[in-house]
Amino acid sequence: WGAAFFGVWDRLKKRSQAARKVIAAAGARDPIWNEPSMLAHAQQTFLQSQYDWSTLNAMHTLSYTTPAFARHSTLLLAVLNELERKNIMANVQIQHSMIVDAYSTPDAAQGSFTVAFEASALDQLVDKDGNVLFSDTKPFIEYWQLIRSGSTWLVDSITQQTQQLTAANASIKQFAAANNMFYSLDMGWLFLPTKGALMARGKMGVSDINNH
């Protein structure tokens, strides 16, 4: 965790400067490309998403996500529901946020931008009886990509700062794409079983499910 955070924001500043140039150029053609309003929209969406995830409100996520991301998010929430668990994010606070990437077509009609969020929360995985399976208060960094959709921006992907790119399995990712499935490099331990021949020795907060 400490290694993942070390020097992150210093490294992101150069990317942010390049993103600002893209946004400024696009903004000369279309006012939707406005850095403060784009960032504010992303922040509001981030906080709303934490609440909807905590309450398993898959339907509400449809209003601020792309169709593909909505299907993936709905599926993940269905799995949590089937496991009779909730991942409750309480006292969510955004510590830092910055637009670190931006892309625009020449006419500014289409494009995307990515926001780096550093946030803190009381992150708890709770079972149907209210037992806390795992609790975490460490800050976390995520990268949220939003894609333009008409007069608004929709979330299209969320990436964890802690994921290890070297752990990615290209064949599994290709299999998922070829079979209308979704692939996640780092799924963490939300779906980690507490019993079973294969997974019983897994520990919440330590073990990881990768290439999910």
Side-chain angles (χ1 to χ4, degrees), residues 1 12 14 22 24 30 43 46 52 75-76 89 92 99 103 111 120 131-132 171 185 197 206 208 211:
W1 172 81
L12 291 175
K14 290 184 178 179
V22 173
D30 191 326
Q43 291 168 341
F46 178 90
D52 291 337
L75 180 59
L76 297 180
M89 303 290 288
V92 180
I99 297 178
Y103 164 77
S120 62
N131 299 312
V132 178
S171 62
L185 171 55
V206 177
D208 241 4
N211 295 297

Side-chain angles (χ1 to χ4, degrees), residues 41-91:
H41 175 79
Q43 291 168 341
Q44 181 181 5
T45 302
F46 178 90
L47 294 173
Q48 182 63 52
S49 177
Q50 306 305 318
Y51 178 78
D52 291 337
W53 177 266
S54 299
T55 56
L56 302 179
N57 191 346
M59 289 302 297
H60 193 255
T61 64
L62 302 178
S63 64
Y64 54 80
T65 58
T66 62
F69 188 79
R71 289 195 298 272
H72 192 187
S73 180
T74 298
L75 180 59
L76 297 180
L77 288 173
V79 174
L80 274 176
N81 191 47
E82 187 172 319
L83 290 170
E84 298 182 307
R85 295 175 177 176
K86 284 187 177 181
N87 181 205
I88 300 174
M89 303 290 288
N91 302 322

Side-chain angles (χ1 to χ4, degrees), residues 80-118:
L80 274 176
N81 191 47
E82 187 172 319
L83 290 170
E84 298 182 307
R85 295 175 177 176
K86 284 187 177 181
N87 181 205
I88 300 174
M89 303 290 288
N91 302 322
V92 180
Q93 300 288 332
I94 298 174
Q95 309 299 335
H96 298 287
S97 59
M98 180 190 298
I99 297 178
V100 295
D101 285 308
Y103 164 77
S104 170
T105 55
D107 61 358
Q110 296 180 357
S112 65
F113 69 97
T114 300
V115 178
F117 286 104
E118 180 181 345

